[in-house]
Amino acid sequence: HVENGKKCFEFAKKHNLEGIIAKKNDKPYFAARSDDWLKIKCTLRQEFVVAGFTTTDKNQVLSALILGYYNNKNLVFVGKVGVGLTEKDKLALASKFKKVLRKTCPFLNAPKVKNAVWISPKFVAEIEFAEITKENLLFERDLLNKKIQLEKELEKVNYSLDMFTKKLTYDDKND
């Protein structure tokens, strides 16, 4: 039993835990799911360069964004994200991406991505995620696209290259 949820959440973030479970103070404990219990996740946010997209039989226009970041002027693959895009978003993005299609992969080391369509790296996406794998990739299960900036200059992207040492900026919305 913890009285100070904010301190408990700060501890979870500091120690790279997935999050905390909280119960409304004025509600009794009982072992069943209810709205009285909350799962509060520690999420991370980072801007990444959009270097392409994938398509599937189900999503022929756009299924997921292919992401990377620059390290010493080399574009490094970090993962894909498809969650958080509406059909309207996908159509609008596909229209913008058509103008910057390219035949070759822009990454230093081409990732094995099925049904990849490569674009010139001119767009930025802000991604929310829970963790980074030991292979230095975003953990796909937890990815959520928060915002795509079509006009942001790549030189102004807020890269946190410390991300691979687990020094990412945490989302403060749950504090």
Side-chain angles (χ1 to χ4, degrees), residues 22-24 27-39:
K23 183 184 72 62
K24 293 180 181 173
K27 301 294 181 181
Y29 172 84
F30 62 97
R33 290 186 182 254
S34 77
D35 291 340
D36 296 337
W37 291 92
L38 300 171
K39 182 177 181 179

Side-chain angles (χ1 to χ4, degrees), residues 2-20:
V2 175
E3 288 293 326
N4 192 325
K6 285 184 180 182
K7 282 186 181 178
C8 185
F9 188 65
E10 286 301 318
F11 178 88
K13 290 192 307 187
K14 181 178 179 181
H15 295 284
N16 296 317
L17 301 176
E18 183 178 345
I20 63 172

Side-chain angles (χ1 to χ4, degrees), residues 107-121:
F107 293 106
L108 177 65
N109 296 312
K112 293 178 182 168
V113 178
K114 188 176 178 181
N115 297 324
V117 178
W118 303 114
I119 63 172
S120 295

Side-chain angles (χ1 to χ4, degrees), residues 45 98 104 115 146 148:
R45 287 184 185 215
K98 280 182 184 177
T104 59
N115 297 324
K146 296 306 283 184
I148 297 178

Side-chain angles (χ1 to χ4, degrees), residues 88-143:
K88 185 178 176 181
D89 292 337
K90 291 176 183 181
L91 289 169
L93 287 172
S95 174
K96 297 259 187 205
F97 292 164
K98 280 182 184 177
K99 298 172 186 170
V100 292
L101 291 176
R102 61 185 282 166
K103 293 181 184 198
T104 59
C105 174
F107 293 106
L108 177 65
N109 296 312
K112 293 178 182 168
V113 178
K114 188 176 178 181
N115 297 324
V117 178
W118 303 114
I119 63 172
S120 295
K122 297 184 179 294
F123 304 101
V124 175
E126 182 180 331
I127 306 299
E128 182 176 292
F129 56 100
E131 63 183 290
I132 298 166
T133 68
K134 63 183 177 182
E135 294 84 17
N136 287 339
L137 299 173
L138 300 176
F139 189 58
E140 285 190 44
R141 183 188 62 154
D142 295 322
L143 294 177

